Each structure stands twice: as structure tokens, then as C-alpha cells.
């Protein structure tokens, strides 16, 4: 990433996540590789989200992976942190974050 080889880094993180889908540092590395000024923050954010959803959809383990689900919460949090538009945009992003937190807790929190 320090050499601005973001596309190659993204490929590497996807490959690593294919082997270790619950490894949190790899998810964070994927964010760093995808969400860059050159690529466009929104485009990178969408790529990360799509990949996490793909990993979730293909999860066949007995116990669900937490990493990709938590990653969706992290992405929503990043979106809130980077909000600097009108208050409507901020409210939308906060609502989105609440939704992701609720989905995560419904999946993993004990009842």
C-alpha cells in the first residue's frame, strides 16, 4: 500500500480472506486498499461491502463467520465518520449504521 499499488493489495487481501475469512486485520487491510482517493471513496466502499456480502452468502461453516458481519458494521461506521454533507446525509448514514449493528446483534447476540 505504501507504494500506491492498491489494486494488487486488494487482490492479496481478497486471497488472504479466502483462506482466513475471520482474520480482522485482513478486512481492515482490504478497506485501506479499496478506499483511496484515486479510486473514489464511494466506489471503494461499495467494493468492500460487496465482497463482505459475497463471503457471507458463501459461508457454509457450522458457526457463522463473525468477521464479514462485523466488517459491515465497520464500513457503516466509516461512512458516518466521513460524513460531512448535509444533515440529511449524516442521518441516513447513522440510520444505516444502526441497521448494521442490529443485523449483527440479531445474528450473534445471545437472546
Amino acid at each position: 500500500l505504501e507504494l500506491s499499488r492498491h489494486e494488487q493489495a486488494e487482490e492479496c487481501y481478497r486471497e488472504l480472506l479466502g483462506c482466513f475469512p475471520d482474520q480482522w486485520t485482513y478486512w481492515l487491510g482490504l478497506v485501506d486498499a479499496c478506499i483511496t482517493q484515486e479510486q473514489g471513496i464511494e466506489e471503494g466502499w461499495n467494493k468492500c461491502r460487496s465482497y463482505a456480502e459475497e463471503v457471507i452468502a458463501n459461508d457454509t461453516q457450522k458457526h457463522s463467520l463473525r468477521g464479514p458481519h462485523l466488517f459491515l458494521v465497520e464500513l457503516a461506521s466509516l461512512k458516518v465518520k466521513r460524513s460531512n454533507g448535509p444533515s440529511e446525509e449524516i442521518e441516513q448514514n447513522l440510520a444505516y449504521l444502526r441497521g448494521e449493528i442490529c443485523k449483527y446483534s440479531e445474528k450473534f447476540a445471545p437472546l
Side-chain angles (χ1 to χ4, degrees):
L1 288 175
E2 291 178 20
L3 300 174
S4 295
R5 296 169 72 181
H6 300 287
E7 287 181 20
Q8 289 174 323
E10 178 187 346
E11 289 175 30
C12 288
Y13 281 115
R14 284 177 183 253
E15 188 175 321
L16 288 166
L17 285 164
C19 297
F20 307 101
D22 251 355
Q23 180 61 41
W24 186 244
T25 55
Y26 297 161
W27 286 106
L28 296 179
L30 183 65
V31 168
D32 290 340
C34 290
I35 301 179
T36 63
Q37 293 298 329
E38 302 88 46
Q39 193 173 52
I41 292 171
E42 195 67 27
E43 180 184 339
W45 188 87
N46 287 331
K47 285 170 81 173
C48 287
R49 180 172 173 70
S50 294
Y51 184 70
E53 289 172 344
E54 179 183 321
V55 171
I56 290 168
N58 294 325
D59 181 14
T60 58
Q61 297 188 24
K62 182 178 178 184
H63 300 287
S64 292
L65 296 166
R66 288 180 184 260
H69 292 277
L70 189 58
F71 183 65
L72 291 175
V73 174
E74 178 70 15
L75 282 176
S77 170
L78 288 172
K79 201 157 191 156
V80 169
K81 288 177 190 173
R82 292 179 183 209
S83 295
N84 58 2
S87 61
E88 296 163 353
E89 177 187 330
I90 295 169
E91 284 300 319
Q92 270 185 322
N93 290 337
L94 283 170
Y96 182 71
L97 175 58
R98 278 190 296 273
E100 289 299 332
I101 290 170
C102 287
K103 283 191 236 177
Y104 182 85
S105 58
E106 287 170 6
K107 181 95 176 155
F108 296 105
L111 298 175

